[in-house]
Amino acid sequence: QVQLVESGGGLVQAGGSLRLSCAASGIDFNISPMGWYRQAPGKRREAVAGISRLGTGTKYPDVVKGRFTISRDNAKKMVYLQMDSLQPEDTAVYFCNAATWPALQPRYEYWGQGTQVTVSS
């Protein structure tokens, strides 16, 4: 049974930082590329970061490149997203999922509850 539990969101002022965590179970974590995704109200879910199965490769869309950093700990089955220089347009619910590589399409239809990130101006 796939379980993805995101945490670490919150309210932060523009320019601030947050670190999100995702605990994964029920998937072959050590052989799965992982991704972080976000969905803002009224918008489609979009990928914001991806990491290869060994952590040697990362991918980011231009909108977050240089501000977000994805990492993973295979021993703990955890994936992280360090978000710096946050802007109000980063406000969204953030989710993790296993991902295809390099397209970062989510692999599972199951989604966790996500973690809310709100950036005030």
Side-chain angles (χ1 to χ4, degrees), residues 23-45:
S25 60
I27 66 173
D28 291 327
F29 187 86
N30 287 2
I31 62 170
S32 295
M34 295 294 294
W36 280 97
Y37 305 81
R38 69 184 181 188
Q39 188 166 22
K43 295 188 177 181
R44 297 181 64 179
R45 190 171 290 162

Side-chain angles (χ1 to χ4, degrees), residues 1-109:
Q1 182 180 355
V2 176
Q3 276 200 314
L4 301 163
V5 181
E6 301 89 353
S7 62
L11 173 63
V12 64
Q13 288 188 329
S17 298
L18 284 172
R19 186 181 188 232
L20 307 184
S21 299
C22 168
S25 60
I27 66 173
D28 291 327
F29 187 86
N30 287 2
I31 62 170
S32 295
M34 295 294 294
W36 280 97
Y37 305 81
R38 69 184 181 188
Q39 188 166 22
K43 295 188 177 181
R44 297 181 64 179
R45 190 171 290 162
E46 61 176 350
V48 295
I51 188 166
S52 62
R53 61 187 182 91
L54 296 180
T56 54
T58 56
K59 290 177 63 66
Y60 307 92
D62 288 343
V63 68
V64 306
K65 194 173 293 182
R67 300 189 298 120
F68 288 11
T69 304
I70 188 172
S71 60
R72 66 188 294 162
D73 185 332
N74 283 2
K76 295 181 179 179
K77 297 188 177 181
M78 296 286 294
V79 62
Y80 306 98
L81 185 67
Q82 176 67 39
M83 305 187 295
D84 299 316
S85 301
L86 283 162
Q87 300 301 316
E89 51 267 35
D90 295 317
T91 294
V93 181
Y94 284 71
F95 305 86
C96 66
N97 204 324
T100 63
W101 190 265
L104 299 187
Q105 294 296 315
R107 282 187 56 197
Y108 295 104
E109 292 185 358

